[in-house]
Amino acid sequence: FLVPVGGALILSPNDQVIACLSKNYPGRASASPVVDLFITLLSMGLNGYTGILEERRRLVDVFRVKFDALAGKFGERLLDCPRNTISFGITLDNLVIGTDDDKKKNVQITKFGSMLFTRCISGTRIVPTKETKTISGHTFQGFGSSYDDYPHSYMTAACAVGMGE
């Protein structure tokens, strides 16, 4: 909504997880993002807001075509997720060459994500393949991905509200 994110929602069926997290992050939520959003919407008005929504809808196909062309230029492919009309993904299979070691590849793929960020390219997400993370005793296979055994490293980017051609 054209404002920075400043809060989080934590959901767990386990009350102990909520209690543990609450002790680590007490009082960190802020009303600032909501106030910023309210001010933004008031200043845009209904016509301004619906205008940027329509522009985003128009740009979806343009974004998809250009992102697909970019992927093809580097021997990658656009990931087909027909129900997601905001965020698009491309494989990163050819980003790292010269090694078959998944850990070494993942270091370089993650570095690519940091290179994008340091160049002020925000909103992208880099997901290395076969990444395992353990956080508070819980092990996550395929960390960052929606599927534990997804066979490709990938990058996502969004055709977001407020984006222009």
Side-chain angles (χ1 to χ4, degrees):
F1 287 99
L2 307 175
V3 294
V5 176
L9 174 66
I10 300 168
L11 176 68
S12 175
N14 185 332
D15 290 342
Q16 291 176 335
V17 170
I18 301 295
C20 181
L21 286 170
S22 297
K23 289 177 186 174
N24 289 321
Y25 296 100
R28 299 281 171 94
S30 169
S32 293
V34 174
V35 172
D36 288 346
L37 174 61
F38 182 65
I39 291 168
T40 300
L41 292 176
L42 281 177
S43 67
M44 293 175 72
L46 181 60
N47 290 337
Y49 179 65
T50 56
I52 63 169
L53 288 179
E54 286 301 319
E55 179 69 357
R56 195 207 69 79
R57 284 187 199 107
R58 184 187 71 76
L59 289 175
V60 166
D61 291 329
V62 174
F63 188 91
R64 181 184 289 119
V65 167
K66 289 188 176 188
F67 204 40
D68 189 23
L70 177 68
K73 181 178 177 180
F74 295 97
E76 303 295 350
R77 67 180 177 83
L78 185 72
L79 300 173
D80 185 31
C81 302
R83 292 191 324 224
N84 189 338
T85 61
I86 295 173
S87 189
F88 298 88
I90 58 173
T91 60
L92 297 176
D93 295 336
N94 299 308
L95 184 63
V96 179
I97 55 174
T99 183
D100 290 329
D101 184 329
D102 287 332
K103 288 186 180 188
K104 287 182 180 179
K105 283 184 178 181
N106 285 354
V107 166
Q108 292 302 310
I109 287 167
T110 302
K111 185 177 180 181
F112 174 63
S114 69
M115 291 170 70
L116 291 172
F117 183 78
T118 58
R119 286 158 178 82
C120 298
I121 300 171
S122 62
T124 59
R125 191 166 65 97
I126 305 297
V127 181
T129 187
K130 301 175 187 169
E131 187 79 9
T132 301
K133 296 265 185 190
T134 301
I135 302 169
S136 297
H138 299 279
T139 300
F140 299 91
Q141 301 293 330
F143 183 76
S145 181
S146 301
Y147 176 65
D148 291 351
D149 295 318
Y150 195 70
H152 305 279
S153 293
Y154 64 91
M155 168 186 166
T156 64
C159 181
V161 168
M163 186 177 214
E165 195 168 349

